[in-house]
Amino acid sequence: MEEEEKGGGEVVEILIETVNKIASISDYRCTVKKQYCNLARRLKLLIPMLEEIRDSKDSIIPQQTLKALVLLKQALDSAKDLLIFGCEGSKIYMVLEREQIMNKYHEVTAKLEQALSGISYEGLDISDEVKEQVELVLAQFRRAKGRVDATDVELHEDLLSLYNKTNDSASDLAVLRRISEKLQLMGIADLTQESLALHEMVAATGGDPGESIEKMSMLLKKIKDFVQTENPNLDAPEREKNLPPSGSGQAIVDGSHQMPVIPDDFRCPISLELMKDPVIVSTGQTYERSCIEKWLGAGHDTCPKTQQKLISTAPTPNFVLRSLIAQWCEANGIEPPKRPSRTVSTCSPAERTKIEILLHKLKSGCLEDQRSAAGEIRLLAKHNADNRVAIAQAGAIPLLVGLLLTPDPRIQEHAITALLNLSICEDNKGSIVSAGAVPGIVHVLKKGSMEARENAAATLFSLSVVDENKVTIGFLGAIPPLVTLLSEGTQRGKKDAATALFNLCIYQGNKGKAVRAGVVPTLMCLLTETGGGMVDEALAILAILASHPEGKATIGAAEAVPVLVEVIRNGSPRNRENAAAVLVHLCSGDQKHMVEAQECGVMVPLLDLAQNGTDRGKRKAQQLLERISRFVEQQNHSQAQTEAHIQQPQPSSMANFGDS
């Protein structure tokens, strides 16, 4: 075996690291919570044995024991994969395929039992207490063998009935209500997480999901539709109880139907109309594209709603909200608002001729011609949407991609910036990635001038708006050089790197890459440097990474708790919210961080956040307060039991004393 060729000490270190990763997994889906929590708890008890083997004076591990440790490593890897799926996987899948899930669970526990049984303590310098603890774990695995807990038959049958049904009926409403409540799919965040979990399963099949996953996606759509129609915005003011002016969605109604209430989140804060083409600005607020473009075109550089200065004036399409608006329209009998087409350019023939001449220069071997042409294309694409379409349609993108590897720094700067400007057009994003641009952009990010590196990071941010591009960009090695730019770039470079990393890490598979690239120490430095101006971005990224097992473990090891408590105490509303979100993950299943947070005085700022924070901040503060309260109660109960045991008279001892 390849593992056996490694030294015993190295194998033991890997085992400890694996168990620590398992211990860092914060929570499990309700359908497997009991079994998976028990498994994780038993595996944590192996840490003392592994540490004693590692710290033993006799560094030579017997060959037979080493083989057993290698088997244990393989079993722990299987357990880690199983538990990560139990934390992040699809809730619907876990109910419908419970038998398969539990077979896998029993298969993993059997492997663990077999591996632990093969470890011989002879020749190992292990204390008796630790031996007894491992024997206890082994006995628990043996007792658990073949044990099957009762399933929620009603939930399984409800899901199965909808899964196999092709038509909808009124009787489905009660079923959908039970399913959404039992699976805890009652909010947009829960539904989005479930959608991402199913998307991960599709990605794992290589894009060929098969009939069962397709049916699960349809089932999730039914649950989404039900939740959205069952939870309308009942508190909307009276003026909002009618449809907005024409052009923003037309109702299909008759005299027996009441006009539906449009949720506030679906209205543009500027026009108050139902959004057709929602886009996000750098403050995180969403607007109708035409409205925010008109605002920016008037010379403003702030967010209309928050009045914060915009880091970037390039809006990003909000695909998730657009999809939710379309689903809401369909559920309420409204024709979905049509997005204005942006794929046709209205450039004049003279302008098109000018673009053709510039492309001819790009193809020439003359560096001076290439430099001037790339610079002109960069400027043409900067402000005019029609130019972006016309330049792309003329075939400029592959030519610009080819110039990313040029040794001429000025040509390289023009080429990457031109691609950045072209990528503002939504339809160009796919064309740029399809032209093989990502490796060239990564090359510029590593080797280019500081201006070129900044614009390369901004281009990756723009391209990563499309979900499938997040996967491609992460796979092709963009994350480590982005982390480097975040650490050593100019202020603008750090901002560009941070926004790109934030967007990329929305995809679960990129979170581990960012952690392994060393982003957490860099973020902690940005969080604590005086007058650095990167606190907002650092906390936003940490809040995303904390939901990943590796991210949680690394943030915890970076002594983040005192810093987070200080932000909750004195930070801005958004930063307090993100700091609380990180702390929720750190304190989940980890008493050490909970105790540390208490010692840092987290209770008073948490109570204030629960009263005066943002909506999300209030929820996170409440979660932390409940966890800390439960922990304190458990500690007090344990202490009371210990004191009662100490004070209790010992009858057998007294009797023996009397007899003597």
Side-chain angles (χ1 to χ4, degrees):
M1 285 185 184
E2 185 181 325
E3 287 89 346
E4 289 181 31
E5 295 174 6
K6 296 177 179 176
E10 189 175 349
V11 172
V12 173
E13 285 289 358
I14 292 170
L15 289 171
I16 293 172
E17 183 183 346
T18 304
V19 177
N20 282 330
K21 284 180 181 176
I22 288 171
S24 70
I25 299 174
S26 57
D27 203 2
Y28 300 101
R29 303 302 196 207
C30 55
T31 50
V32 295
K33 193 179 186 79
K34 181 181 176 183
Q35 295 88 345
Y36 284 28
C37 282
N38 285 338
L39 176 57
R41 177 176 49 77
R42 289 167 188 152
L43 293 177
K44 289 179 199 176
L45 295 174
L46 299 179
I47 286 285
M49 175 190 75
L50 297 170
E51 288 178 342
E52 287 199 3
I53 295 174
R54 180 194 63 190
D55 301 336
S56 171
K57 294 176 184 176
D58 184 5
S59 60
I60 299 173
I61 298 175
Q63 192 64 28
Q64 198 60 35
T65 302
L66 182 56
K67 286 183 178 179
L69 290 176
V70 170
L71 285 176
L72 180 60
K73 175 191 174 299
Q74 294 167 354
L76 283 174
D77 285 340
S78 298
K80 183 183 71 173
D81 292 342
L82 179 78
L83 292 172
I84 288 173
F85 185 77
C87 172
E88 301 171 359
S90 161
K91 297 176 180 179
I92 294 172
Y93 177 84
M94 287 182 198
V95 175
L96 290 175
E97 301 293 339
R98 179 174 172 81
E99 186 176 348
Q100 181 182 335
I101 294 283
M102 294 317 297
N103 285 343
K104 182 69 177 171
Y105 169 80
H106 289 303
E107 180 186 317
V108 166
T109 54
K111 282 184 183 177
L112 289 164
E113 182 207 340
Q114 181 185 0
L116 287 172
S117 300
I119 296 175
S120 171
Y121 303 122
E122 296 177 12
L124 292 176
D125 185 15
I126 298 177
S127 64
D128 291 338
E129 292 85 352
V130 169
K131 287 179 187 176
E132 289 172 6
Q133 187 165 299
V134 177
E135 288 295 340
L136 174 63
V137 173
L138 193 51
Q140 288 174 341
F141 277 134
R142 285 170 181 153
R143 281 200 301 273
K145 190 186 294 183
R147 182 190 297 166
V148 179
D149 292 313
T151 60
D152 189 332
V153 176
E154 183 182 52
L155 177 59
H156 185 267
E157 289 182 351
D158 281 346
L159 274 173
L160 212 56
S161 68
L162 282 181
Y163 179 81
N164 293 319
K165 190 177 289 186
T166 53
N167 61 320
D168 296 331
S169 67
S171 63
D172 289 345
L173 292 178
V175 173
L176 285 163
R177 184 173 290 106
R178 284 198 300 270
I179 290 172
S180 57
E181 288 174 355
K182 287 186 177 182
L183 290 182
Q184 298 169 9
L185 295 173
M186 297 298 292
I188 292 299
D190 300 324
L191 292 164
T192 302
Q193 196 64 40
E194 179 67 10
S195 181
L196 287 170
L198 285 173
H199 180 74
E200 291 276 348
M201 292 176 68
V202 173
T205 64
D208 182 17
E211 185 182 358
S212 63
I213 297 179
E214 284 182 0
K215 279 192 173 183
M216 288 181 205
S217 297
M218 291 302 296
L219 208 161
L220 178 60
K221 185 177 184 302
K222 288 183 181 180
I223 296 172
K224 276 184 180 177
D225 292 344
F226 167 77
V227 170
Q228 288 161 6
T229 52
E230 282 286 296
N231 297 281
N233 187 357
L234 299 176
D235 297 323
E238 195 62 35
R239 64 178 176 78
E240 293 187 356
K241 296 202 173 182
N242 294 311
L243 281 176
S246 61
S248 53
Q250 297 298 318
I252 305 169
V253 295
D254 56 36
S256 63
H257 289 78
Q258 188 179 0
M259 294 289 191
V261 178
I262 299 177
D264 283 344
D265 289 343
F266 295 173
R267 293 179 181 272
C268 172
I270 297 174
S271 70
L272 299 180
E273 295 185 0
L274 185 67
M275 286 184 275
K276 314 172 205 174
D277 190 9
V279 294
I280 306 171
V281 296
S282 59
T283 58
Q285 299 295 325
T286 296
Y287 299 94
E288 173 62 39
R289 184 190 289 275
S290 60
C291 294
I292 193 65
E293 286 182 347
K294 187 180 290 186
W295 168 269
L296 295 171
H300 300 290
D301 62 353
T302 57
C303 171
K305 192 170 181 180
T306 67
Q307 295 304 307
Q308 291 175 271
K309 190 173 178 64
L310 295 172
I311 299 168
S312 166
T313 56
T316 302
N318 191 334
F319 293 108
V320 174
L321 185 60
R322 187 191 303 164
S323 172
L324 291 174
I325 290 173
Q327 290 176 21
W328 179 84
C329 288
E330 184 183 344
N332 286 277
I334 299 172
E335 182 183 349
K338 290 182 171 55
R339 201 160 53 92
S341 172
R342 308 180 67 82
T343 57
V344 178
S345 170
T346 57
C347 284
S348 67
E351 289 169 323
R352 291 182 182 278
T353 301
K354 180 181 179 181
I355 291 169
E356 291 292 341
I357 293 170
L358 291 173
L359 296 194
H360 182 73
K361 286 185 176 182
L362 284 184
K363 295 174 188 175
S364 74
C366 174
L367 290 180
E368 188 58 44
D369 282 351
Q370 289 179 335
R371 195 178 298 119
S372 64
E376 283 195 64
I377 289 173
R378 166 184 178 172
L379 292 174
L380 284 172
K382 185 173 182 180
H383 297 296
N384 190 299
D386 287 326
N387 284 348
R388 293 178 198 127
V389 175
I391 291 167
Q393 289 178 344
I397 289 174
L399 299 175
L400 291 168
V401 169
L403 294 177
L404 294 176
L405 301 178
T406 179
D408 186 294
R410 196 62 185 153
I411 294 175
Q412 191 180 67
E413 282 176 19
H414 288 327
I416 189 64
T417 311
L419 286 170
L420 168 61
N421 294 337
L422 290 172
S423 73
I424 295 170
C425 172
E426 189 179 324
D427 292 328
N428 287 347
K429 296 182 194 295
S431 303
I432 292 170
V433 174
S434 299
V438 176
I441 297 171
V442 172
H443 171 78
V444 175
L445 193 57
K446 291 177 179 177
K447 306 289 186 182
S449 66
M450 184 52 71
E451 181 185 344
R453 291 170 69 193
E454 291 166 356
N455 288 339
T459 306
L460 290 175
F461 164 70
S462 178
L463 297 176
S464 66
V465 168
V466 181
D467 284 342
E468 52 264 36
N469 290 350
K470 291 180 175 69
V471 182
T472 304
I473 292 167
F475 177 75
L476 291 173
I479 289 175
L482 281 172
V483 173
T484 302
L485 182 62
L486 182 66
S487 173
E488 64 184 31
T490 62
Q491 188 68 7
R492 185 197 150 196
K494 290 178 179 180
K495 295 274 186 186
D496 288 330
T499 52
L501 284 166
F502 177 87
N503 231 23
L504 289 169
C505 288
I506 292 171
Y507 170 60
Q508 186 73 5
N510 286 336
K511 293 177 184 177
K513 291 184 176 72
V515 173
R516 290 188 288 276
V519 75
V520 172
T522 299
L523 293 172
M524 291 305 300
C525 288
L526 295 174
L527 204 53
T528 53
E529 68 182 6
T530 306
M534 289 292 294
V535 174
D536 297 7
E537 292 83 355
L539 275 170
I541 299 171
L542 285 172
I544 286 186
L545 295 178
S547 65
H548 189 276
E550 288 182 62
K552 176 183 171 182
T554 310
I555 294 167
E559 300 180 353
V561 172
V563 180
L564 295 171
V565 172
E566 183 59 30
V567 173
I568 294 172
R569 184 180 288 116
N570 295 317
S572 68
R574 179 57 60 87
N575 288 342
R576 296 178 76 199
E577 166 193 314
N578 281 327
V582 177
L583 207 51
V584 166
H585 286 292
L586 291 184
C587 292
S588 178
D590 195 320
Q591 296 181 357
K592 180 183 75 173
H593 294 313
M594 212 176 298
V595 170
E596 188 181 2
Q598 284 180 277
E599 291 172 349
C600 292
V602 77
M603 295 302 289
V604 172
L606 270 185
L607 288 166
D608 178 67
L609 183 60
Q611 291 292 321
N612 305 312
T614 62
D615 288 344
R616 179 169 173 256
K618 289 177 182 177
R619 289 198 306 274
K620 296 300 178 185
Q622 197 59 45
Q623 286 176 346
L624 272 171
L625 288 168
E626 288 172 3
R627 284 182 182 173
I628 292 172
S629 177
R630 282 199 303 270
F631 173 64
V632 171
E633 284 177 14
Q634 288 168 0
Q635 278 194 319
N636 292 340
H637 180 68
S638 299
Q639 187 176 352
Q641 282 187 322
T642 304
E643 290 173 358
H645 182 71
I646 292 170
Q647 294 171 7
Q648 188 176 359
Q650 304 294 323
S652 58
S653 300
M654 293 296 291
N656 290 339
F657 180 79
D659 289 343
S660 63

